[in-house]
Every structure is written in C-alpha cells, then in structure tokens.
C-alpha cells in the first residue's frame, strides 16, 4: 500500500439495509454482498447480530453469512452489541466484529438501551472473547458531531468513548456523524480535539450525508490523516434510532472524489456500478437515499 492509499469500508449491507422500510429478502442481500466482493473492497460489513425485536431487517444475519460466497482477501464484518450477538457471529464465521457506542447518553439509551458506562461494561466481555477467538475488533462512536436528542456534542465526549473502545482492544474506531450534521468546520473542531491524543491511523470516518456535506467532511478528515472511510453502495442508509439520519456517503461518490484528487482505492468502478445497478433494480424500493 502506498501513502496515497485510502481504505473504503463498505457498510451498505448493514447500515443501508437495516434502514429499509420493507424487509429485503436474504437472497437479494447475499447477491449484493457477492457483487460487492468482486469490486476490490477489502472490508464489507455484511450484517448485524442484534435483537430482531429492535431491528427486524437484520434478523437473517446467520443466513446471510452462510449464503455468501467468501472471497479471499475480503474481511466480512458484523455488529455485535452483546455476548448473544457475538456468540451468533462467531458461529456464523464472521472475520471482524464491531461494538458500537455513542458519545451522547440519550442516543446510547435509544439505540442499545443502556447508558454509555453500561455499554462499556457490556462490551468488555464481547471484546475479550472476540480477540481470544482471533476475530478482529472494530469500534463505532455515534453522534460525534450532534445527537438527534441532545444537539451539539463536544469533542471531549467523543475522545473519551473513543479511547475507552481502543482500551478494550479495538483496532480501529469509526467516528459516526450519525445524523449527517457535520461541516468541514465542525469536523475540523472535532478532529482538533481528538487527533494527537489518538492516532489518526486508529480512526475511520463514518459520515452520513443528510445535508450533502459528507464528501467535504472526508476531505477535511484526510487533512488530519484519516485513511479509512465507511460508505454505502447507492448511498443507502440511516439508523432506525436516529430520526433524520439519511443515507451514508455513497461509495461511488466517495471513490470518484478520491480518484479525482489523487488517492488510490484499488476499487473497480465498473464493478461498483454493477453492484449499484443491482441494488437499484432489486432492493432499494423504499430507500430514502436513492
Ligand atoms: P434489550 O432489550 O435491552 O436486550 O436490548 P435484552 O438483553 O433485554 O434482550 C431483549 C430480547 O432481545 C431478548 O429476547 C433477547 O434474547 C434478544 P426475548 O427473551 O425477549 O425473546 N436479544 C438478541 N437477539 C438476537 N441477537 C442479539 C440479542 N440481544 C438480545 N444480539 C440490545 C439491547 C443491544 C440487544 C438492543 O438494544 C439492540 O439490539 N440494539 C441494536 C440497535 C441497532 O442495531 N441499531 C442500529 C445499528 S447502530 C448504527 O446504525 C450507528 C452506526 O452506523 C454508526 C453511526 O452512524 O453513528 C454503527
Ligand atoms: Mg451509520
């Protein structure tokens, strides 16, 4: 990898499809993931092992993992909020699991039904067991710029939970602008408060694109040394517990911007377009992004 390389971490099958109004068939999810596997992506977040009472769209996590054609060199990841989720994820053979916390108390309660402190207690055995099983561990912090319930979030709150997730053994923590309220100015303010204490290579950017600022926010974060960005094919996405959270940054828009500005991704645009076309034709009926 050169120093011009940026990792694109595809989260569409999870962050996108968890928010579809209708239930997407397992067959279509598998076909989408298999198409994405052919594009050169090295990371695909395939599903999440969460409570089906909370997110029915992800109830078929085990079947999705069992049905995909695993491509060598691709890490297939999934969200695991607790030990029950982790045990199912390990049985399903995921390569990477993610624990997901929040910088805002209200969002933590709404999304995972516990306080930030309780979430870290819940994550500790998940992290320990995942690492002992040889599975890599990612962390998410939601609401790094603003919370749908509390408004502006200060960088110190983000730094504290990010550090706590790293201390649990996360190899990388993805900073979630969950409701897409970030601007280059607020992103710079956030990163001024984090990068330095925490190394840029331990961070990823996960910017929802509600107000069309996600690409500009990536450009700002690139200046701070972040070299991994989450995106979704077709700009799918949102979070059922974050009113107003629209689609993520579209993978194709992200890759086009990166290539146009001299960054390398190793991704095949033609194959990305094939995956997006499949999505548009077969899946994204009610998406708020397409
Ligand atoms: P709870 O209700 O407090 O949990 O939810 P519980 O332990 O009391 O369990 C309730 C029921 O769920 C029980 O079933 C459990 O067995 C079951 P019952 O006995 O009533 O039949 N259950 C599970 N089933 C399957 N898999 C599991 C699991 N855990 C419990 N893992 C809980 C707590 C964390 C489970 C719940 O709040 C939950 O699943 N939350 C997930 C919400 C979610 O997935 N949100 C979207 C992803 S986060 C996101 O989008 C943000 C991100 O993209 C970054 C950004 O943009 O900011 C990552
Ligand atoms: Mg998200």
């Amino acid at each position: 990898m050169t120093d011009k390389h940026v990792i694109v971490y595809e989260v569409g099958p999870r962050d996108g499809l968890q928010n579809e109004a209708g239930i997407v068939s397992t067959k279509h999810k598998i076909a989408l993931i298999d198409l994405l596997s052919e594009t050169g992506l090295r990371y695909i977040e395939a599903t999440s092992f969460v409570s089906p009472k909370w997110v029915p769209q992800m109830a078929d996590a085990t079947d999705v993992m069992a049905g995909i054609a695993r491509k060598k060199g691709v890490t297939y990841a999934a969200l695991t909020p607790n030990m029950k989720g982790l045990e199912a994820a390990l049985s399903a053979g995921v390569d990477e699991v993610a624990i997901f916390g929040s910088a805002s108390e209200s969002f933590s309660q709404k999304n995972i039904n516990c306080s930030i402190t309780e979430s870290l207690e819940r994550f500790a055995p998940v992290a320990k067991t995942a690492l002992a099983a040889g599975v890599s561990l990612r962390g998410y912090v939601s609401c790094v710029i603003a919370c749908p319930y509390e408004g502006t979030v200060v960088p110190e709150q983000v730094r504290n939970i990010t550090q706590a997730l790293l201390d649990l053994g996360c190899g990388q923590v993805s900073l979630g602008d969950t409701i897409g309220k970030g601007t280059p100015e607020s992103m710079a303010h956030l990163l001024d408060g984090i990068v330095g204490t925490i190394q840029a290579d331990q961070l990823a950017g996960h910017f929802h694109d509600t107000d069309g600022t996600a690409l500009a926010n990536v450009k700002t974060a690139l200046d701070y040394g972040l070299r991994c960005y989450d995106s979704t094919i077709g700009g799918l996405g949102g979070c059922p517990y974050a009113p107003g959270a629209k689609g993520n940054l579209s993978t194709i828009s992200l890759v086009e911007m990166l290539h146009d500005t001299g960054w390398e991704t190793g991704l095949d645009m033609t194959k990305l377009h094939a995956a997006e076309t499949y999505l548009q034709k077969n899946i994204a009926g009610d998406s708020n992004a397409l």
Side-chain angles (χ1 to χ4, degrees), residues 20-145:
E20 281 292 293
I23 296 289
V24 175
S25 74
T26 308
K27 180 186 84 175
H28 283 139
K29 291 178 181 176
I30 291 168
L32 178 65
I33 294 168
D34 287 348
L35 282 168
L36 289 166
S37 297
E38 296 303 318
T39 62
L41 283 162
R42 288 172 45 217
Y43 295 89
I44 301 176
E45 195 167 73
T47 186
S48 58
F49 290 86
V50 297
S51 169
K53 291 185 175 152
W54 285 65
V55 185
Q57 293 91 333
M58 296 284 109
D60 59 354
T62 295
D63 293 338
V64 168
M65 288 305 301
I68 57 176
R70 301 268 187 127
K71 174 109 177 162
K72 200 164 177 279
V74 178
T75 294
Y76 295 94
L79 299 190
T80 52
N82 53 19
M83 283 304 290
K84 186 172 174 114
L86 178 72
E87 280 155 15
L90 292 179
S91 300
V94 301
D95 302 308
E96 174 161 291
V97 296
I99 47 181
F100 50 107
S102 170
S104 111
E105 283 292 349
S106 307
F107 187 76
S108 182
Q109 290 288 354
K110 295 274 186 193
N111 196 42
I112 49 174
N113 207 23
C114 62
S115 68
I116 295 172
T117 303
E118 286 164 343
S119 75
L120 292 169
E121 286 163 8
R122 197 184 277 172
F123 294 152
V126 176
K128 198 172 165 202
T129 311
L131 294 171
V135 169
S136 57
L137 181 69
R138 194 175 203 231
Y140 281 100
V141 177
S142 285
C143 303
V144 299
I145 300 282

Side-chain angles (χ1 to χ4, degrees), residues 14-15 18 206 208 238 248:
R14 192 280 303 173
D15 201 352
Q18 75 179 11
H206 178 108
H208 286 257
N248 281 73

Side-chain angles (χ1 to χ4, degrees), residues 6-13 31-44 231-235 249-259 264-281 290:
V6 171
I7 293 173
V8 175
Y9 198 114
E10 172 64 46
V11 296
L32 178 65
I33 294 168
D34 287 348
L35 282 168
L36 289 166
S37 297
E38 296 303 318
T39 62
L41 283 162
R42 288 172 45 217
Y43 295 89
I44 301 176
S231 63
T232 63
I233 193 72
L249 178 52
S250 138
T251 301
I252 286 179
S253 303
L254 172 64
V255 174
E256 277 174 353
M257 182 279 282
L258 290 168
H259 291 178
E264 297 159 9
T265 65
L267 297 183
D268 181 324
M269 289 308 293
T270 307
K271 290 182 174 167
L272 283 175
H273 278 289
E276 187 168 291
T277 301
Y278 180 85
L279 172 73
Q280 285 165 336
K281 284 196 176 146
L290 282 171

Side-chain angles (χ1 to χ4, degrees), residues 155 158-159 162 175 189-199 203:
V158 182
R159 192 173 63 232
T162 302
L175 301 175
H189 178 62
L190 169 69
L191 296 175
D192 279 335
I194 299 186
V195 177
T197 317
I198 295 168
Q199 290 173 27
L203 298 171

